Amino acid sequence: MQHEAKDFSALLGTLKGISDKQLTAHFGLYKGYVTKLNEIEGRLATAEPGASNYSYGEFSELKRREAVAFNGAYLHQLYFENLSARGGMPSEKLQTAIRETFGDMDRCVADLKGSAASTPGWVHLTRSRVDGRLHTYIMYEHHVGLPAFQDILLALDCWEHAFMIDYGTAKADYLKAFLDNVDWNAVNARFDAALAGRNTAF
Ligand SMILES: [Fe+2]
């Protein structure tokens, strides 16, 4: 299939502490991953698998980068979709799940911040299909670090490109701004979908 970048320009001028300049630059990176995903999938359709090699081979290199572009595209979609000036609150069901895993919301937020300080990449709040509980996981690269059987509820982009324009190296200030702009209605909908076993990618 041909992947298409979603238009998140409606976020411009609405978020607190995340500037239009920062968002616009980030949209450009997101679109770049979508373009590369289409390019990689297109080239894989004709690359010769029989010439694969651990050191170098066209098919091998494309396979090595395929998940980078895929997650670069779709993790950003999840990230932009869980941003909104509307804010909202975790649903009662999600609050119960948060208490079961973290004890309370403060500890959940502390976990997200600690996780963010532990990686140059992504932090995800997930619901595991293995134990039915919430977890946070960190990713060092777009394609490294997310265990199997996880439904992503909240995607937090901690790459420097997500905040350098607004905050320089002050990552903690960006995290506060991110948390101020979480669209909990989007997170609640993903949690409901995860409980129901529905696909939420689109
Ligand atoms: Fe990003």
Side-chain angles (χ1 to χ4, degrees):
M1 67 176 265
Q2 193 72 9
H3 304 274
E4 290 186 19
K6 287 192 171 183
D7 178 10
F8 291 107
S9 60
L11 290 173
L12 295 172
T14 67
L15 300 183
K16 297 159 281 193
I18 300 178
S19 72
D20 288 356
K21 189 176 178 187
Q22 181 72 71
L23 279 175
T24 301
H26 211 168
F27 294 157
L29 289 171
Y30 160 54
K31 288 172 184 165
Y33 284 115
V34 175
T35 299
K36 281 297 176 189
L37 176 57
N38 287 322
E39 182 183 339
I40 288 170
E41 289 190 351
R43 289 181 60 183
L44 276 170
T46 56
E48 176 48 61
S52 299
N53 183 280
Y54 182 68
S55 296
Y56 174 75
E58 182 191 12
F59 185 87
S60 303
E61 293 305 319
L62 290 165
K63 292 306 288 182
R64 287 172 188 138
R65 303 309 291 175
E66 183 180 20
V68 175
F70 186 93
N71 281 3
Y74 285 101
L75 292 179
H76 277 105
Q77 180 177 312
L78 287 168
Y79 170 75
F80 292 125
E81 284 178 345
N82 62 220
L83 286 175
S84 166
R86 290 190 302 273
M89 289 278 294
S91 65
E92 285 194 18
K93 264 188 292 188
L94 183 54
Q95 287 185 44
T96 299
I98 287 170
R99 279 195 298 274
E100 284 173 0
T101 290
F102 301 102
D104 58 33
M105 191 64 192
D106 287 347
R107 175 71 190 187
C108 177
V109 168
D111 187 306
L112 288 169
K113 288 180 176 176
S115 298
S118 307
T119 179
W122 290 95
V123 176
H124 301 298
L125 175 68
T126 74
R127 177 186 179 275
S128 170
R129 284 175 239 153
V130 176
D131 63 11
R133 291 169 65 89
L134 303 187
H135 295 263
T136 56
Y137 290 108
I138 62 174
M139 300 181 80
Y140 279 77
E141 247 274 34
H142 293 313
H143 64 317
V144 178
L146 186 65
F149 298 113
Q150 303 301 313
D151 291 309
I152 296 173
L153 308 179
L154 177 69
L156 164 51
D157 191 341
C158 290
W159 291 92
E160 288 182 342
H161 67 244
F163 60 86
M164 283 296 283
I165 291 173
D166 285 342
Y167 294 102
T169 58
K171 190 174 181 179
D173 293 342
Y174 160 68
L175 294 175
K176 181 181 181 311
F178 173 81
L179 291 166
D180 285 343
N181 289 287
V182 170
D183 184 347
W184 285 104
N185 292 324
V187 179
N188 294 337
R190 288 177 189 160
F191 186 56
D192 288 343
L195 292 175
R198 290 199 307 272
N199 179 7
T200 59
F202 306 97

